C-alpha cells in the first residue's frame, strides 16, 4: 500500500490549510469593515451636535437650531422608549405563545401553518406592517399615534420573538420534559415550570434582540407614530397622539434643508447606534451563560 | 386476540404461561400489579417491540435484559405512556394496571404517570430548582401548598432514596449541585414523592460509578418492599443481584421470562443461554 505521504505531501497539505484559514480571516475582515465604517462615519459627523442640551431640550422649529438656541431630541429619545416598550408589551406574550407552540407542540395541527406564517411575517417588509397598523389603528382613531407605532413595531417583533423562543426552548434537553411528565405533571405545567425557567436566559435574549431590531425600524413608523417636534403636553399624548422616534427623526432631519439639522441627524444616529449595539451586546453576554 | 375483558386479574393466565416458559409453577402466590398483552410498539415502519405479554408482580423486581436495540427500553417506556410524545410511535395491544387498560381512550395519561413512576438512565434534576423543590415538584406544581406536608414528604422521599443525610443541611441549594450519583438518587426521591404504585427504572446506574451503583442497588432492595419495580439493565450481574424475575428481550421479542434464578442457571431458550454466556450482545 502506498502511504498517504507519497500521494499528497504533508507540506502541501499544510500550505492548503494555511491558505484556507487566510480566506476565512479575509471574509471576517470584509464583514467587519462596513460596520467599522458606519460607526466611524456616524460618530465623526454627529459628535459635534452631542451636548447636554441634545438630551434635555425638544427640537422645536428649525429656527432654534439655525439661530443657535437650545435644541435637542429629548422628546425623540423618550418617544422611542415609549413606542418600543408598547410594542414589546404587545409582542412578548403573542410571540412567546407562538414560540411555545412551535417548540413544545410539534403534533398540534396549527404547528405547520404557524411556522409558515411566522416565517412569512418575518420576511415581510416592515413598511407593510406599518400599513397594516395604519389601517387598523390610525384610520379608525383618525390620528397618528404612539399606539399605532407600537402595533406596527409589534408586528416586527412577533416573528423574531417566536423564533427565538422556539430555539431557546428547543435547546433544553428533551429529558427534562420527560422527567416532568414522569412525575405526573400535565404538559403545560412541564413547559411552564421546568422548561421555561431553564430557558429563561434565551427567552430574555430573544426579547432584547427583537427590541433592538424593532428600535431600528423607520419605515413602519412614518405613517403610524408619524413624528413630533415637541413632547406631548400630557403623557397620554405619547400613546394617543403623534410621537417622535429616533429612526424616523433621523430620516426627517437628514432630508431637511438645514445644515444644523443634518448634524443633529448624525447625532441621532449615534444615539440609535449606541442603543441598538448596547442591546445586542447585552443579549450576547447573556447567552454566554450556562448551557445544558 | 381473544382478550377483550380488561377486568380479569391475569393471575391464572400467567401461572400457566410461566409453566410453559420455565417448566415449573412458581412457588409463592403472586400478586400481578401490571401486565402487558400482546404489546407492540412501532416507530413508523420499524417494529421495536413485538407482541410482548409479561406480568409485573407486586413487591417484586422484574429485570429486563437483552442486547442494545432489543426493545427493552421502548417496552419500558410504553408502560407509563412515555411514547405519547414520540412522533410516529404506534402502540397496539394492552397494558393493564390492576386490570385496567392504561391506553383506554378515556384514561388520562397524567393520572397513569402519577401511579407509575419512572427513573431515567441519566439523572434529570430540574436545573432551576432547589433540591427541596425537585423532590416535591410533582406535588407543588399541581397546587399542593401546605408547607408542613411538603416538608414531610420531602424528608420521607429523600430518606427512602438514601439521600436525606447527605443533603439535609442544604435542601435549598440547586439540584444540579449534587454529584451524579446523588442526582440519580434525587431523581428517585422525586419519583417516590408522588407515591407511585409501580416504579420503572431505565438503566438507572449506567451513568454512575460502581459505588453509587451499589447504593442504588441496595435502594432497589429496600424499595421493593412497597413497590412493583421494573428495571431495564445492560448489566447482567446487576439483573442477577436485584431482580426476582427476568425477561430476556431479543430483536423486539420477549424470548424468555421467569424467575431470575432459573433464567440465569437453567434457561430454556438457546438464545437466552447464548446471551447470558456472552456469545453475543
Amino acid at each position: 500500500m502506498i502511504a498517504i505521504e507519497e500521494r499528497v505531501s504533508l507540506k502541501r497539505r499544510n500550505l492548503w490549510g494555511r491558505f484556507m484559514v487566510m480566506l476565512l480571516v479575509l471574509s471576517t475582515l470584509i464583514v467587519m469593515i462596513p460596520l467599522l465604517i458606519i460607526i466611524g462615519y456616524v460618530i465623526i459627523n454627529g459628535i459635534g451636535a452631542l451636548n447636554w442640551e441634545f438630551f434635555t431640550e425638544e427640537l422645536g422649529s428649525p429656527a432654534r437650531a439655525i439661530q443657535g438656541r437650545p435644541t435637542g431630541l429629548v422628546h425623540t429619545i423618550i418617544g422611542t422608549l415609549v413606542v418600543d416598550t408598547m410594542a414589546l408589551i404587545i409582542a412578548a406574550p403573542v410571540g412567546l405563545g407562538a414560540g411555545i407552540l412551535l417548540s413544545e407542540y410539534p403534533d398540534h395541527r396549527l404547528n405547520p401553518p404557524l411556522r409558515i406564517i411566522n416565517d412569512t411575517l418575518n420576511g415581510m417588509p416592515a413598511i407593510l406592517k406599518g400599513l397594516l397598523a395604519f389601517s387598523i389603528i390610525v384610520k379608525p382613531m383618525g390620528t397618528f399615534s404612539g399606539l399605532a407605532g407600537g402595533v406596527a413595531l409589534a408586528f416586527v417583533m412577533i416573528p423574531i420573538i417566536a423564533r427565538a423562543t422556539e430555539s431557546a426552548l428547543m435547546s433544553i434537553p428533551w429529558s427534562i420534559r420527560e422527567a416532568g411528565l414522569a412525575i405526573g405533571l400535565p404538559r403545560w405545567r412541564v413547559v411552564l415550570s421546568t422548561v421555561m425557567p431553564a430557558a429563561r436566559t434565551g427567552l430574555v435574549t430573544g426579547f432584547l434582540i427583537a427590541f433592538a431590531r424593532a428600535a431600528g425600524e423607520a419605515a413602519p413608523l412614518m405613517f403610524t407614530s408619524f413624528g413630533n417636534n415637541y413632547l406631548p403636553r400630557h403623557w397620554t399624548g405619547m400613546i394617543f397622539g403623534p410621537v417622535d422616534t429616533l429612526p424616523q427623526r433621523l430620516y426627517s432631519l437628514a432630508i431637511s434643508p438645514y445644515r444644523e439639522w443634518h448634524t443633529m441627524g448624525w447625532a441621532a444616529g449615534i444615539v440609535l447606534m449606541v442603543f441598538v449595539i448596547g442591546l445586542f451586546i447585552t443579549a450576547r453576554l447573556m447567552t454566554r451563560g450556562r448551557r445544558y | 386476540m381473544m382478550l377483550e375483558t380488561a377486568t380479569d386479574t391475569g393471575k391464572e393466565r400467567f401461572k400457566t404461561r410461566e409453566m410453559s416458559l420455565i417448566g415449573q409453577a412458581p412457588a409463592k402466590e403472586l400478586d400481578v400489579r401490571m401486565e402487558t398483552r400482546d404489546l407492540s410498539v412501532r416507530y413508523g415502519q420499524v417494529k421495536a417491540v413485538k407482541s410482548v405479554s409479561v406480568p409485573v408482580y407486586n413487591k417484586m423486581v422484574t429485570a429486563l435484559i437483552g442486547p442494545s436495540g432489543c426493545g427493552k427500553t421502548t417496552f419500558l417506556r410504553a408502560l407509563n405512556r412515555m411514547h405519547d410524545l414520540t412522533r410516529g410511535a404506534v402502540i397496539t395491544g394492552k397494558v393493564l394496571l390492576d386490570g385496567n387498560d392504561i391506553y383506554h381512550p378515556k384514561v388520562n395519561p397524567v393520572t397513569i404517570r402519577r401511579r407509575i413512576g419512572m427513573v431515567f438512565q441519566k439523572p434529570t434534576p430540574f436545573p432551576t430548582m432547589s433540591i427541596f423543590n425537585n423532590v416535591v415538584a410533582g406535588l407543588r406544581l399541581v397546587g399542593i401548598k401546605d408547607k408542613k406536608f411538603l416538608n414531610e414528604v420531602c424528608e420521607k422521599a429523600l430518606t427512602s432514596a438514601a439521600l436525606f443525610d447527605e443533603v439535609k443541611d442544604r435542601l435549598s441549594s440547586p439540584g444540579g449541585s449534587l454529584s451524579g450519583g446523588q442526582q440519580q438518587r434525587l431523581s428517585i426521591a422525586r419519583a417516590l414523592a408522588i407515591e407511585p404504585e409501580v416504579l420503572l427504572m431505565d438503566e438507572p446506574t449506567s451513568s454512575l460509578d460502581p459505588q453509587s451503583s451499589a447504593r442504588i442497588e441496595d435502594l432497589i432492595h429496600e424499595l421493593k418492599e412497597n413497590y412493583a419495580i421494573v428495571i431495564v439493565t445492560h448489566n447482567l450481574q446487576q439483573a442477577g443481584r436485584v431482580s426476582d424475575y427476568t425477561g430476556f428481550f431479543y430483536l423486539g421479542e420477549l424470548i424468555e421470562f421467569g424467575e431470575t434464578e432459573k433464567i440465569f442457571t437453567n434457561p430454556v431458550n438457546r438464545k437466552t443461554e447464548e446471551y447470558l454466556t456472552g456469545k453475543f450482545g
Side-chain angles (χ1 to χ4, degrees):
Chain A
M1 202 181 121
I2 312 166
I4 296 173
E5 301 310 319
E6 290 168 39
R7 293 173 184 268
V8 187
S9 77
L10 187 64
K11 203 174 149 197
R12 214 172 121 197
R13 278 182 286 154
N14 273 339
L15 222 61
W16 260 112
R18 247 182 267 160
F19 177 69
M20 285 301 169
V21 172
M22 256 170 55
L23 280 185
L24 296 182
V25 171
L26 191 69
S27 23
T28 311
L29 287 177
I30 292 172
V31 170
M32 283 170 66
I33 285 167
L35 181 68
L36 295 176
I37 291 178
I38 292 171
I39 293 176
Y41 207 68
V42 169
I43 291 176
I44 289 165
N45 284 291
I47 199 83
L50 273 189
N51 49 31
W52 180 246
E53 279 144 12
F54 188 84
F55 297 100
T56 55
E57 295 291 327
E58 297 166 314
L59 182 65
S61 71
R64 282 201 198 180
I66 293 162
Q67 296 164 3
R69 281 188 283 148
T71 175
L73 294 180
V74 63
H75 65 297
T76 316
I77 293 166
I78 294 172
T80 306
L81 291 175
V82 170
V83 171
D84 291 1
T85 306
M86 265 196 285
L88 188 64
I89 289 170
I90 298 166
V94 181
L96 203 59
I100 291 172
L101 194 124
L102 285 176
S103 154
E104 303 299 313
Y105 294 85
D107 295 329
H108 199 283
R109 65 199 152 91
L110 280 182
N111 187 302
L114 177 65
R115 193 172 297 277
I116 296 168
I117 290 166
N118 196 58
D119 286 352
T120 312
L121 191 62
N122 198 17
M124 187 181 279
I127 193 155
L128 295 177
K129 295 172 187 173
L131 197 62
L132 174 65
F134 178 83
S135 63
I136 63 173
I137 310 279
V138 177
K139 282 277 274 183
M141 276 174 65
T143 170
F144 296 112
S145 64
L147 178 66
V151 170
L153 290 188
F155 286 118
V156 176
M157 291 181 180
I158 286 168
I160 301 170
I161 293 178
R163 260 311 170 89
T165 300
E166 187 198 0
S167 60
L169 296 180
M170 296 281 258
S171 75
I172 304 303
W174 195 249
S175 58
I176 298 287
R177 297 165 177 85
E178 290 190 335
L181 292 173
I183 53 169
L185 299 178
R187 214 156 144 193
W188 65 269
R189 177 52 83 183
V190 170
V191 176
L192 195 68
S193 298
T194 68
V195 183
M196 285 177 65
R200 65 183 186 280
T201 324
L203 299 179
V204 174
T205 307
F207 293 156
L208 286 181
I209 288 173
F211 196 83
R213 274 280 306 277
E217 289 287 354
L221 298 175
M222 295 291 179
F223 40 98
T224 49
S225 62
F226 190 70
N228 194 335
N229 287 16
Y230 300 92
L231 261 180
R233 291 234 189 100
H234 190 257
W235 66 268
T236 49
M238 283 281 181
I239 300 169
F240 300 111
V243 177
D244 225 27
T245 50
L246 277 167
Q248 150 265 318
R249 175 52 56 193
L250 198 160
Y251 172 77
S252 311
L253 292 172
I255 58 162
S256 73
Y258 317 107
R259 184 182 301 276
E260 293 79 4
W261 272 20
H262 294 168
T263 318
M264 286 182 78
W266 287 110
I270 296 177
V271 176
L272 185 60
M273 206 168 66
V274 169
F275 180 58
V276 170
I277 291 177
L279 282 171
F280 274 120
I281 290 176
T282 313
R284 192 87 206 125
L285 290 179
M286 282 181 68
T287 44
R288 268 207 201 155
R290 241 170 115 176
R291 292 248 162 247
Y292 295 101
Chain B
M1 267 178 78
M2 67 290 173
L3 303 155
E4 291 310 317
T5 48
T7 43
D8 66 322
T9 62
K11 275 183 206 170
E12 289 308 312
R13 188 175 132 76
F14 278 109
K15 269 186 191 162
T16 50
R17 186 177 172 83
E18 252 171 39
M19 277 193 274
S20 66
L21 280 170
I22 61 176
Q24 198 183 335
K28 46 193 166 178
E29 183 63 24
L30 292 164
D31 176 11
V32 176
R33 201 69 224 241
M34 282 186 88
E35 60 172 294
T36 66
R37 290 182 185 175
D38 297 313
L39 182 71
S40 297
V41 184
R42 95 188 136 77
Y43 300 115
Q45 294 303 311
V46 184
K47 274 202 148 186
V49 173
K50 297 169 190 164
S51 196
V52 170
S53 300
V54 74
V56 174
Y57 300 116
N58 202 19
K59 306 195 178 186
M60 295 278 170
V61 177
T62 305
L64 305 178
I65 58 171
S68 296
C70 68
K72 53 194 191 301
T73 293
T74 304
F75 174 80
L76 189 78
R77 290 163 57 88
L79 297 184
N80 72 341
R81 293 191 60 167
M82 228 37 180
H83 290 300
D84 285 18
L85 287 189
T86 315
R87 248 186 165 175
V90 180
I91 287 155
T92 52
K94 279 183 176 158
V95 178
L96 306 183
L97 174 61
D98 293 335
N100 301 311
D101 189 4
I102 66 168
Y103 281 98
H104 191 278
K106 282 192 181 151
V107 171
N108 183 348
V110 170
T111 57
I112 289 301
R113 295 191 196 111
R114 292 195 84 83
R115 295 178 63 191
I116 307 173
M118 190 164 198
V119 176
F120 298 87
Q121 188 173 354
K122 269 178 30 188
T124 50
F126 297 134
T128 54
M129 291 185 199
S130 66
I131 293 172
F132 176 82
N133 281 338
N134 257 289
V135 176
V136 300
L139 305 166
R140 201 173 52 86
L141 296 179
V142 295
I144 297 173
K145 292 198 184 76
D146 184 349
K147 192 82 183 161
K148 198 169 148 254
F149 174 70
L150 291 179
N151 282 333
E152 280 168 18
V153 171
C154 177
E155 180 172 344
K156 200 174 139 203
L158 284 172
T159 308
S160 308
L163 185 61
F164 186 69
D165 290 336
E166 289 162 58
V167 301
K168 63 184 174 198
D169 300 321
R170 46 176 181 142
L171 289 175
S172 56
S173 36
S177 68
L178 300 173
S179 75
Q182 289 173 324
Q183 285 188 16
Q184 190 63 311
R185 277 178 281 149
L186 179 66
S187 307
I188 293 173
R190 188 175 59 194
L192 298 180
I194 54 168
E195 302 196 321
E197 298 155 36
V198 180
L199 193 59
L200 309 177
M201 304 178 113
D202 184 6
E203 298 183 40
T205 64
S206 70
S207 62
L208 303 182
D209 60 88
Q211 252 183 326
S212 305
S213 302
R215 295 211 60 165
I216 304 267
E217 283 183 23
D218 290 344
L219 186 57
I220 292 171
H221 269 297
E222 286 161 32
L223 292 175
K224 79 170 187 185
E225 298 299 317
N226 298 308
Y227 300 91
I229 298 177
V230 186
I231 176 171
V232 163
T233 178
H234 262 119
N235 183 333
L236 292 178
Q237 283 78 23
Q238 182 174 64
R241 282 191 300 266
V242 302
S243 72
D244 304 291
Y245 283 82
T246 297
F248 170 60
F249 276 74
Y250 184 62
L251 300 176
E253 282 178 76
L254 181 67
I255 303 294
E256 190 163 352
F257 176 82
E259 284 183 35
T260 300
E261 217 184 299
K262 282 171 191 138
I263 292 268
F264 275 71
T265 54
N266 191 18
V268 175
N269 193 291
R270 200 171 51 86
K271 259 302 181 254
T272 315
E273 193 184 336
E274 281 176 11
Y275 180 68
L276 291 171
T277 52
K279 289 219 173 73
F280 75 99

